Amino acid sequence: AMSNDASKIPSESLRQQIQEQAFLQEMPEALREEIAEIILIHCHPVDFEAGHVLFHSGEHSDDQAYLILEGTLEISSKSMTSLEINAPTLVGEMAHVTPLETRLCTVTALTNLSALNFSWHECFEAVQKKGGKKACQRLKLALQKLVWSRLIPQETGRQGTP
């Protein structure tokens, strides 16, 4: 089900696509570039077919996140209305900002997806090395905002953006 078509994308345009992610927009440009660079270094491209479940609600969180570059996915759980979200977006952020060890939502590919997979642990370790605690806190805050915008969607103008 997985191939590595995304690896044909030149890293310059990937860097651009990472920097344009909504959750990074409120950061100072220098930090945004730094985080994009770190994700670029630590990620590997993956593709998923429509119908593939990236995360199951209730399963153990394995520290993995996906930046979705192309496609549409659904975020659903028992306690919230399903959200349909279009790329570019990030999934896998909830497990990182909540103290729970389990996934809060099920994330399903509605179309074929092109994505970048990375580990939060590696990402935050690198951010801390380069930017210190403050940079880590800014990133965590940005992720918390993204989570809240999804859990309380009626307060957002458009899905996926705070």
Side-chain angles (χ1 to χ4, degrees):
M2 286 192 200
S3 68
N4 56 356
D5 289 352
S7 58
K8 297 190 187 85
I9 304 169
S11 63
E12 209 31 66
S13 85
L14 272 184
R15 184 182 286 110
Q16 193 61 36
Q17 287 187 59
I18 297 169
Q19 281 185 40
E20 285 166 4
Q21 289 279 337
F23 76 98
L24 293 175
Q25 293 319 301
E26 285 180 39
M27 294 183 180
E29 198 177 345
L31 181 60
R32 192 165 74 221
E33 285 174 6
E34 214 159 87
I35 291 171
E37 191 57 41
I38 285 166
I39 291 174
L40 191 62
I41 292 166
H42 291 282
C43 75
H44 59 273
V46 286
D47 292 308
F48 297 106
E49 288 173 3
H52 180 85
V53 177
L54 285 77
F55 300 126
H56 289 272
S57 174
E59 76 184 353
H60 182 75
S61 162
D62 54 3
D63 192 47
Q64 297 301 302
Y66 296 94
L67 277 180
I68 310 298
L69 304 177
E70 272 175 48
T72 303
L73 45 83
E74 180 188 61
I75 297 178
S76 61
S77 80
K78 288 186 183 74
S79 58
M80 66 184 235
T81 323
S82 295
L83 295 180
E84 202 170 293
I85 293 180
N86 295 313
T89 193
L90 171 75
V91 291
E93 83 293 344
M94 290 187 188
H96 195 77
V97 298
T98 58
L100 302 168
E101 292 289 294
T102 54
R103 295 279 175 200
L104 290 181
C105 296
T106 295
V107 177
T108 310
L110 294 178
T111 63
N112 290 350
L113 300 180
S114 171
L116 300 175
N117 170 229
F118 66 95
S119 137
W120 282 123
H121 179 72
E122 279 181 2
C123 178
F124 270 92
E125 215 169 51
V127 169
Q128 181 144 6
K129 250 186 214 131
K130 280 197 84 167
K133 262 207 164 70
K134 199 161 200 145
C136 282
Q137 283 165 345
R138 288 199 91 129
L139 178 53
K140 213 159 217 164
L141 202 63
L143 296 174
Q144 282 166 343
K145 278 191 151 164
L146 178 61
V147 170
W148 285 115
S149 76
R150 287 173 173 176
L151 295 179
I152 314 170
Q154 62 274 20
E155 291 185 16
T156 62
R158 129 166 171 259
Q159 292 309 1
T161 56

